[in-house]
Amino acid sequence: MIEINGVSVFSGVAIGELRFLQKRRRETERVEAADSAAELERFEAARGEADMELERLCEKATKEVGEEEAAIFDVHRMMLSDPDYLEAIGGIITGEGVTAEYAVSRASETFAEMFSSMDDPYMSGRAADVRDIAERLLAKLSNGDEGRPALSAPAILAARDLSPSDTIQLEKEKTLGFVTSGGSANSHTAILARTMSIPALVNLGEKLLPEYDGHFAALDGFTGTLYIDPDAETLTAMEKKKAESAEARARLEGLKGKANVTIDGRRVKVFANVSGLADIEAVLENDAEGIGLFRSEFIYMESDCFPSEERQFEIYRRAVEKMGDREVVIRTLDIGADKQAAYFDLPHEQNPAMGMRGIRICLTRPEIFQTQLRALLRASVYGKLAIMFPMIASPREVDEAMSVMEEARESLRRQNIPFREDISVGIMIETPSAVMMSAELAERADFFSVGTNDLTQYTLAADRQNQQIERFYDARSEAVLRMIKIVADNAHAAGKWVGICGEMGADTELTEKFLRMGIDEISVSPGALLPLRRKIRSLDLSK
Ligand code: PEP
Ligand code: MG
C-alpha cells in the first residue's frame, strides 16, 4: 500500500480505480525529424481529423445554439485549407527537417502575429482563431488527446493539475473524486470541486506517479490522504468512513424546509454558489433560499467562441425560471488570471491576478459587456434576477459599469424588448480598496457581497494559486474579518444588505462572528448548505 498526503479541498470518501490523465504536451520546441515525408503524412492526417471534427462541431452548434455561433467553425475550416498556411507548414517540415508539431506551432504563430498587427479589428481578431486551429492540430498530432479529461467508466481521476476549464467539463457521474500533484486549496479548480461536491485532494506532489494508472485507490477527503492499493484493513476503514459520511449527510436532510434562524430569532439568508445550470439541481436538493453567486464566466470558458446574447439569455432565463421566486444573483464575467478562454486572446502578464481580469476586461471591451448585460436584462422578466459586478476597486469603475448598463437598457427600450427597470445591482467587495471605499460604493449599489477568496489574496498579498505559500494564505485572517465588519457597517448605514460569497462563508467556525457583524446573507457551495444551516440554528446570539 502506498500512502500519499495532500491538501483536501472537498471532504468525502471515494473508492475506485485510479485513472491518470496526462495532459497533452505541446511540442512547440524545435525537434528535428529525419523523415520529412512521414511528418508531412502525419500533418495531413491530423488536418483531415481536425477538419472532420470542426464539421461535427459546426453541425452540433447549429442545432444547439444557432447558425450565428456555428459560423466560427466554418471559418476555422476555411483557414485549415488556406493554401498559404498549408504551404508555410509544409515548407518548414521539408525545408528545415523538423517535426510537424514544431512546424504547426511556428507557422501558426507567424500567421497569428501577422493578423494581430492589422488595423482592421476584424482581421486582428483572427489571431485567436489561428491559435485555436493550431491547438486543435497539435491535439490531433498527439494522438487525438484533446487535453480535456474524460473517463470512460467511473474512477478517481488523477492529473498533474487541472485547470478550471478542465474541471468544469468533468462528467460528475463518472468522476468519483480527483487528485492532483499540484494545485492549491483556494484555486477555482478547488472551488469547482466543492461546488460539484466531488471529493478531491490537491498538492500531492511528485509521489503521485503516472504508473499508478489503473491501480485501485481510496481517497480520504477528511484527512487529505490517498491510499494506492489499500490493504484490507485500510479498505474496510475507508468503506466504514464512506458509509458514516453518507449517514451524516442523511441526518442533515432533516433540516430541509426549516427556517435559517438562530435560537434567539435572527434570520439569515442561506444562498448557494453555482458555476452553471448543471449545479442548480443540487441547489434545489439542498433547499437553498436563492443563488448568491452565479459565476457566469464558466459559460464563456465552456465555449469555443464568444457566447451570443441569445445563448446567454437562454441560460440566464432557465436559471431564474428553475429557481422560481427565489433570488438569483448573477455575477458578470470574471474571466482572467487562472480562468482563461483562448478566444479572448488575453495578453500574457507578469502578474495576472493583478492584471486584465473581471470588470477591467468588461470596461476595456464594452462590446463583450454589452452583450452580457442585454442578455441579463432580458432574462430579468422571467424571475428574480440580480446583477453583480466583480473585482471593483473604485467608485469610478462602478459609475462606468452603470453607464454601460444604461446603454444596454436604452438599446432594449429602443427595440421595445422588455426588461425589469427595478433590477437590483450589487457589487463584490474583493479588493482592500473596495473595503476602504465601501461607504461611497454603498451609495451606488443595491447590495454588497464579500468575495473573501480574492479579498484574502489581495489583503495578505498571497497569491491564491500558489501552492508554495498556502500557509501564508490565512483562510481565517483577522485582517480580513475586520474588513468585513467595516463593509457590513457601511452597507447598513446606507440601508443596503451585505452577504459573503467567498469560501470563508462555509467555515462554520466563523458563522457566529459573521452573524454578530450583522451579515445578512451567506452563499456557499451546494454541499456546504446543510452544515451551515445546522450551525446557524444552533447559535444563540443573545448569550
Ligand atoms: C471570491 O473572490 O471570494 C469570489 C467569490 O470569487 P471567485 O472565487 O470566483 O474569484
Ligand atoms: Mg473573486
Side-chain angles (χ1 to χ4, degrees), residues 13 220 222-223 227 236-246:
V13 173
D220 186 342
F222 295 96
T223 59
Y227 302 96
T236 313
M238 292 299 292
E239 271 161 357
K240 187 160 167 257
K241 214 173 200 181
K242 192 172 172 201
E244 281 167 1
S245 123

Side-chain angles (χ1 to χ4, degrees), residues 188 191 293 295 297 331 334 339 357 428 430 450-455 464 501-503:
H188 283 99
I191 291 170
L293 172 65
R295 290 181 160 99
E297 55 276 11
R331 166 173 83 186
D334 186 24
K339 289 181 283 191
R357 62 164 292 198
M428 289 192 71
E430 41 188 357
V450 186
T452 53
N453 310 332
D454 277 316
L455 186 58
R464 65 195 269 195
C501 63
E503 296 297 295

Side-chain angles (χ1 to χ4, degrees), residues 51 54-55 57-59 62 67 69-81:
D51 187 59
L54 283 165
E55 192 179 5
L57 279 172
C58 191
E59 271 170 29
T62 309
E67 273 177 33
E69 327 296 332
I72 189 70
F73 298 115
D74 266 337
V75 172
H76 284 198
R77 289 185 75 198
M78 263 152 48
M79 285 184 175
L80 256 188
S81 48

Side-chain angles (χ1 to χ4, degrees), residues 183-199:
S184 97
N186 310 301
S187 65
H188 283 99
T189 298
I191 291 170
L192 279 173
R194 289 193 274 274
T195 310
M196 297 159 90
S197 300
I198 299 177

